[in-house]
Amino acid sequence: MTAMLQPSGAAVTNTTANATTTTSRVCFHCGNAVPPQLQLYVDYHGQAQPMCCHGCQAVAQAILAGGFEQYYQQRSATAASAEAASTREEWQAYDEPSFLARHAQSLPNGDKELLLLLDGLRCAACVWLNEAAVRRLPGVVSFHINRMTERATLQFNPNVTPLSEVLRAIETIGYRAWPFDQQRAEHLEKNQHQQMLRRVFVAGIVMMQVMMFAAPWYFGAAGDIEPAWELLLRWASLLLTIPVMLYSAAPIFSGAWRDIKNRRIGMDVPVALALAAAFTASVWATLAQRGAVYFDSITMFVFLLLGARYFEMLARQRARQGLSRAMRAVPKQLMRISADDQQQVALNQIVAGDRVLIKAGETLALDVRLISAQAEIGLALLTGEAQPVIKQHGAELPAGAVNLGQAFEAQVLRLEADSFVSSLQRLIERAGRERPQLQLAADRVAAWFLSALLIFTALIGVVWWYIDPARALPIAIAVLVVSCPCALSLATPAALAGASAALARRGLLITRANVLEKMARLSDVAFDKTGTLTQARPVLQSVEVIAPGWTQQTALATAAALEQQTQHPYAQALLHAAAQQKLELPKLELNKLELSELELNEAGKLNLQIGAGVQGTINGTPYRLGKREFAQASLQTTSALPQAQVFLADETQILAAFSFDLPLRAGSQPALAYLQSHGLKVHLLSGDTQAATQALAETLNVNSARGDLTPQQKLEQIRAWQAQGKVVAMLGDGINDAPVLAGADVSIAMGDGTELAQISADAVLMTPQLEVVVSAVQIARKTLRVMKQNLAWATLYNLVAIPAAALGYVSPLVAAIGMSTSSLWVVLNALRLLK
Amino acid sequence: MESLYLLIPLTLLLIFGAIALFIRASKNGQFDDLQGPAERILLDDDRPE
């Protein structure tokens, strides 16, 4: 069991608010660094534990108040940091009877059963915490979390506890949950898993029993066993092996048949042939009561091969599940506008050409064309940049964009099948289908090998027929059996499964098959700046008070009050900063300013000037908050202003200036140093200004940095490096990195970056620890070594065994042992990778 | 040694029985979560009610 994690670096002893600590403190709940001036604590077992923000404090208090403090003792990983509360409106929609009718199963007694997708489960204690918290709600009949798939089954009475209550309960303790559509693909996946496991089990249990039956022969009593018992045991072995051949090995045979129909010799063909030959020979030997039987070797081989493929499938499924979280971001309903009214319509009832209303804060579910004059949207899901983009009438807005401004009207262009959601799905499918280069090479070698072998066996059979006909068939069988390409077919899947598991444990999910080979030869690592080395959301850096009579707190409170209704990243940063300082926001008056054409209840009573700023009234005084030009618009004089992004002004003067910054990810610097110390060259490639990039490079001690790059230019730089013979990995988080990610030898997306980048990258880094790249390189090198060792062993073994069998030195027993041990050896070798 | 004529077929029956039981358990979703139950054992539920 993994070690229990205690928050490290908490240099807080029983500190009062006045004490200063010189060492950096770490949040007890989520492990993030605590800003030095922040004094937030939670009483845990009489000790004051530091908190990094009000969110974590609220969650920690909820956990302790609920009597769940055991969570902190039991957990083996820190929690996800508590983000601001999600929109409540989202949850209300889930209480609609129509929603439940569509997504939940009705049980005979009136209760509903529903699948939930959970986020933030980091370890076993999280599972316990969530289950306990939900189960104690009245009306919840049962709540069970599947740790492997991170999905939960909820049985509840919606009249007693509505679904929104359940979701809220989960969020209160710091996690998130969404209703989950069990789509057909997921169903298939579960079936796939179940089927595979059953096949492995059957092969395994039969293997054990058949080998028990064969034990007397293993122990050298071959000559002493009476024919009667030998016959009995052989028949028993035969009967047991039949289910293995028909059921467990079925995928092998169908795969081989498919290959043959397509006129290619894949890996399944030699295996199927060997199995068929060995089985047929064994059956014949049992019936004719002479010759050798190979039931034990057959079952063992099938078991080992299926086992390796099972683990490989498990790793792939896990990667796919991690990626399918992208599905949850899409809303299932849209507001359709018709000639006389507007109504909320389910997604599958929308047709292309419908006019829809996109509310403030809503995510676009489909590609649309803008009808209103202007719209301010966030493309963070697609580009990773938090800066809103202004689109004009007639522009195409992609599915996945978020409405950061006022509500607007648009026309649906394409249905879901053509939008980015389905391209996500297709990318996920693709991730599961590919095979590594080395395995493809092994397949080709095996194909050639098999053809050669068949010819050779036939030749040997003919030769022996002339020399001593009685030995011809057994020798031919022995040659086929002993040369079984077990090692070849097992070499790569076993190594791949071991490597994937080892990497997944360290937080790197491999989604494309050929990653390991490229990683083994890695020489350079290029980093995107925003969102990869820095966090993706801006944080309030400083408040500069300009007008007399104002303090930082009042300026911040006023600014935050104005931004309460906006989803703009700067707005969120202001609100977050105000909440951190526990400022009371002044009440925003219901203003009587002119509203724009599309007035919407949810958008509030603010007049959102698209792209420039926000204007609102507090205590009778109108304020403007926004870019320099916007804030100054109503003023007569323009004085010299400090450098900042956002300004607060009233009717007479500029009041304050707010600067925002993108904070560096904790641990970036040591991680990069670690990479460099292990022989990897580190580069910075950014779309941000050269000055900013250079500054960051100096902070991180990186020599090579280039800013002001378009994605195309980034790609060109990578190509230039590749032309020099370097093998380049690229780490990014946004889809504007997508062409770059595709061009790099190895592309790694950040786990908390955009979902689309994760889908199109070769691997996803689920932890913020960039040092994992080094482990990945080491593991990749080891994996290649293991694969080559396995292949070398397989080759050597065949070079020795086949001539020996052809010359008649190999008895069937020895052939069987050889076949089994070579398979076993390959698998054991691959298991070394798991360390 | 004649007992083998009884024991061996009995073994076969046992094995087929085990396979049938396994498949039934699998259909009931017993093996859908291979990680959770292992960890669940270590978690007590000592919350004061």
Side-chain angles (χ1 to χ4, degrees):
Chain A
M1 197 42 194
T2 51
M4 301 300 174
L5 177 72
Q6 295 304 319
S8 61
V12 181
T13 50
N14 286 324
T15 311
T16 63
N18 294 328
T20 48
T21 49
T22 46
T23 50
S24 56
R25 296 170 298 155
V26 167
C27 179
F28 178 67
H29 181 73
C30 69
N32 282 337
V34 178
Q37 71 279 6
L38 193 62
Q39 306 287 339
L40 279 180
Y41 298 97
V42 162
D43 186 358
Y44 176 67
H45 283 173
Q47 274 226 330
Q49 298 289 2
M51 294 279 130
C52 70
C53 62
H54 283 278
C56 280
Q57 189 190 39
V59 168
Q61 280 171 342
I63 291 179
L64 294 173
F68 297 129
E69 59 188 38
Q70 196 180 19
Y71 163 74
Y72 286 117
Q73 293 156 352
Q74 294 267 3
R75 65 177 177 173
S76 49
T78 51
S81 48
E83 299 262 335
S86 61
T87 46
R88 304 294 174 206
E89 297 140 2
E90 206 182 292
W91 287 342
Q92 303 303 348
Y94 294 141
D95 289 336
E96 308 266 326
S98 57
F99 177 84
L100 284 179
R102 235 192 358 262
H103 292 107
Q105 258 188 316
S106 285
L107 300 175
N109 60 352
D111 290 341
K112 297 279 183 191
E113 190 177 281
L114 186 63
L115 272 182
L116 292 179
L117 182 63
L118 288 159
D119 197 21
L121 294 178
R122 298 269 180 100
C123 68
C126 302
V127 170
W128 173 81
L129 182 61
N130 277 283
E131 286 187 349
V134 171
R135 279 179 190 160
R136 56 159 39 172
L137 294 172
V140 170
V141 174
S142 83
F143 183 66
H144 180 93
I145 299 180
N146 183 326
R147 163 106 161 91
M148 210 162 69
T149 59
E150 294 188 347
R151 288 165 205 165
T153 313
L154 171 70
Q155 246 185 48
F156 72 118
N157 185 340
N159 298 322
V160 176
T161 309
L163 186 54
S164 55
E165 273 302 308
V166 176
L167 298 177
R168 183 169 313 153
I170 293 179
E171 177 159 307
T172 309
I173 49 171
Y175 299 86
R176 304 201 64 188
W178 295 267
F180 179 70
D181 265 339
Q182 182 155 57
Q183 304 179 14
R184 201 146 19 120
E186 312 298 340
H187 203 63
L188 276 172
E189 213 174 70
K190 187 172 84 137
N191 278 349
Q192 202 187 29
H193 178 255
Q194 275 188 351
Q195 280 244 333
M196 192 64 162
L197 196 58
R198 281 182 223 158
R199 295 201 161 110
V200 171
F201 177 83
V202 169
I205 199 172
V206 166
M207 168 191 87
M208 289 192 275
Q209 189 56 59
V210 166
M211 282 175 89
M212 270 199 260
F213 286 157
W217 285 271
Y218 293 161
F219 293 124
D224 300 337
I225 302 181
E226 284 176 42
W229 307 128
E230 182 168 13
L231 191 63
L232 176 64
L233 289 174
R234 282 185 175 192
W235 272 104
S237 305
L238 190 157
L239 286 177
L240 281 180
T241 309
I242 287 178
V244 171
M245 291 296 285
L246 291 181
Y247 178 58
S248 294
I252 302 179
F253 287 116
S254 60
W257 178 241
R258 228 189 6 245
D259 284 342
I260 292 181
K261 271 204 302 194
N262 290 337
R263 297 172 171 283
R264 27 166 271 133
I265 306 205
M267 190 45 75
D268 285 338
V269 174
V271 172
L273 215 54
L275 286 178
F279 186 68
T280 317
S282 309
V283 169
W284 178 84
T286 310
L287 290 172
Q289 297 188 29
R290 64 187 182 92
V293 290
Y294 303 100
F295 296 120
D296 49 351
S297 315
I298 292 172
T299 52
M300 180 177 195
F301 175 54
V302 171
F303 172 67
L304 288 178
L305 186 57
L306 284 187
R309 289 193 187 176
Y310 171 72
F311 284 117
E312 211 192 350
M313 181 199 81
L314 212 58
R316 269 202 322 266
Q317 269 192 1
R318 210 164 296 174
R320 267 213 300 270
Q321 276 156 9
L323 298 178
S324 74
R325 285 170 194 292
M327 297 305 158
R328 68 164 198 249
V330 177
K332 300 294 186 194
Q333 291 178 329
L334 276 181
M335 177 86 84
R336 178 163 65 190
I337 304 176
S338 47
D340 43 351
D341 80 291
Q342 55 196 34
Q343 53 164 198
Q344 204 77 357
V345 168
L347 202 60
N348 51 14
Q349 288 173 1
I350 302 274
V351 298
D354 275 350
R355 274 169 79 110
V356 289
L357 188 67
I358 308 292
K359 297 181 264 217
E362 191 173 323
T363 307
L364 288 176
L366 303 169
D367 297 333
V368 301
R369 188 185 302 283
L370 186 59
I371 295 179
S372 304
Q374 262 192 343
E376 193 176 357
I377 57 171
L379 294 169
L381 186 66
L382 304 166
T383 67
E385 301 296 337
Q387 291 290 77
V389 174
I390 302 193
K391 296 282 189 180
Q392 308 292 341
H393 167 81
E396 260 193 48
L397 309 179
V402 178
N403 184 2
L404 292 179
Q406 274 181 310
F408 59 82
E409 273 187 33
Q411 190 183 38
V412 174
L413 280 178
R414 281 174 282 271
L415 294 182
E416 201 167 323
D418 302 316
S419 73
F420 96 116
V421 171
S422 62
S423 57
L424 281 183
Q425 265 175 319
R426 271 184 303 216
L427 285 168
I428 294 176
E429 297 301 309
R430 181 199 69 187
R433 268 200 311 256
E434 298 174 343
R435 291 258 160 275
Q437 286 296 88
L438 207 53
Q439 180 156 3
L440 292 175
D443 282 357
R444 279 196 299 272
V445 168
W448 170 90
F449 174 74
L450 173 71
S451 330
L453 181 68
L454 287 177
I455 299 172
F456 181 70
T457 312
L459 265 173
I460 292 290
V462 165
V463 166
W464 272 99
W465 186 262
Y466 283 120
I467 300 179
D468 181 357
R471 298 188 65 187
L473 189 57
I475 289 190
I477 296 290
V479 169
L480 262 186
V481 169
V482 85
S483 68
C484 164
C486 327
L488 268 183
S489 57
L490 273 179
T492 35
L496 210 59
S500 299
L503 282 174
R505 255 217 312 268
R506 285 169 179 74
L508 188 65
L509 282 182
I510 309 272
T511 60
R512 302 288 288 279
N514 49 11
V515 171
L516 287 170
E517 296 152 275
K518 302 251 188 73
M519 286 213 84
R521 295 178 291 135
L522 207 58
S523 62
D524 292 61
V525 184
F527 286 87
D528 176 40
K529 181 168 101 50
T530 312
T532 311
L533 290 174
T534 69
Q535 291 172 16
R537 297 195 160 276
V539 158
L540 183 64
Q541 183 78 2
S542 72
V543 180
E544 192 172 330
V545 175
I546 298 174
W550 284 78
T551 65
Q552 283 191 343
Q553 278 78 7
T554 53
L556 180 55
T558 310
L562 287 169
E563 297 274 32
Q564 270 171 353
Q565 304 261 351
T566 330
Q567 304 279 16
H568 197 290
Y570 285 163
Q572 297 297 316
L574 283 171
L575 286 167
H576 188 71
Q580 271 195 337
Q581 295 185 34
K582 260 201 154 142
L583 296 175
E584 251 188 63
L585 302 182
K587 213 157 90 72
L588 195 57
E589 276 168 33
L590 312 176
N591 66 3
K592 301 123 196 134
L593 296 178
E594 68 277 7
L595 300 162
S596 73
E597 297 162 58
L598 288 174
E599 173 189 358
L600 238 231
N601 296 333
E602 289 88 9
K605 312 287 194 281
L606 295 179
N607 184 0
L608 291 170
Q609 301 267 348
I610 307 258
V614 69
Q615 193 176 315
T617 310
I618 296 177
N619 292 338
T621 316
Y623 293 96
R624 285 177 155 237
L625 179 73
K627 294 213 182 98
R628 182 192 310 263
E629 297 77 16
F630 177 78
Q632 282 181 328
S634 61
L635 303 180
Q636 285 80 356
T637 56
T638 50
S639 42
L641 291 172
Q643 273 288 84
Q645 284 91 359
V646 169
F647 295 87
L648 175 66
D650 63 13
E651 286 175 314
T652 55
Q653 55 181 333
I654 301 272
L655 301 171
F658 300 90
S659 300
F660 298 86
D661 197 11
L662 291 168
L664 203 60
R665 274 183 204 267
S668 291
Q669 196 196 346
L672 292 187
Y674 189 69
L675 289 176
Q676 284 169 322
S677 69
H678 276 79
L680 294 171
K681 271 211 76 191
V682 172
H683 309 270
L684 240 62
L685 292 180
S686 174
D688 203 351
T689 60
Q690 174 68 28
T693 314
Q694 194 60 41
L696 186 63
E698 272 158 35
T699 320
L700 294 173
N701 215 1
V702 169
N703 289 334
S704 163
R706 285 186 61 189
D708 284 324
L709 293 174
T710 65
Q712 191 56 33
Q713 288 169 319
K714 287 186 195 175
L715 182 59
E716 280 162 23
Q717 172 67 85
I718 293 197
R719 292 262 182 255
W721 285 329
Q722 286 173 333
Q724 293 172 9
K726 305 190 179 171
V727 178
V728 183
M730 175 78 191
L731 271 89
D733 74 319
I735 196 55
N736 66 344
D737 295 324
V740 193
L741 288 177
D745 294 294
V746 176
S747 59
I748 302 180
M750 302 304 291
D752 56 3
T754 72
E755 280 102 355
L756 206 47
Q758 293 175 30
I759 302 290
S760 46
D762 295 332
V764 179
L765 190 59
M766 301 301 289
T767 83
Q769 289 162 318
L770 303 171
E771 294 99 333
V772 171
V773 175
V774 175
S775 313
V777 171
Q778 290 168 336
I779 291 180
R781 287 185 186 152
K782 211 163 140 200
T783 308
L784 270 196
R785 270 203 309 270
V786 166
M787 271 198 234
K788 290 190 182 139
Q789 281 169 3
N790 286 348
L791 291 172
W793 160 254
T795 315
L796 184 67
Y797 167 79
N798 280 322
L799 281 178
V800 168
I802 293 181
L807 294 174
Y809 290 128
V810 174
S811 79
L813 175 64
V814 173
I817 292 180
M819 183 167 147
S820 313
T821 48
S822 68
S823 326
L824 203 55
W825 167 253
V826 162
V827 171
L828 287 179
N829 199 21
L831 282 182
R832 289 192 305 143
L833 286 169
L834 280 180
K835 273 205 304 265
Chain B
M1 281 293 261
E2 275 69 21
S3 60
L4 279 182
Y5 281 121
L6 173 66
L7 291 175
I8 304 278
L10 207 58
T11 310
L12 293 191
L13 275 178
L14 217 59
I15 298 286
F16 286 126
I19 292 179
L21 271 181
F22 181 86
I23 294 193
R24 201 168 78 164
S26 167
K27 287 215 171 101
N28 271 342
Q30 179 78 18
F31 303 106
D32 285 343
D33 184 357
L34 297 176
Q35 280 173 271
E39 296 164 343
R40 237 175 247 280
I41 288 185
L42 298 174
L43 302 172
D44 292 327
D45 213 350
D46 287 342
R47 284 177 302 124
E49 282 302 312

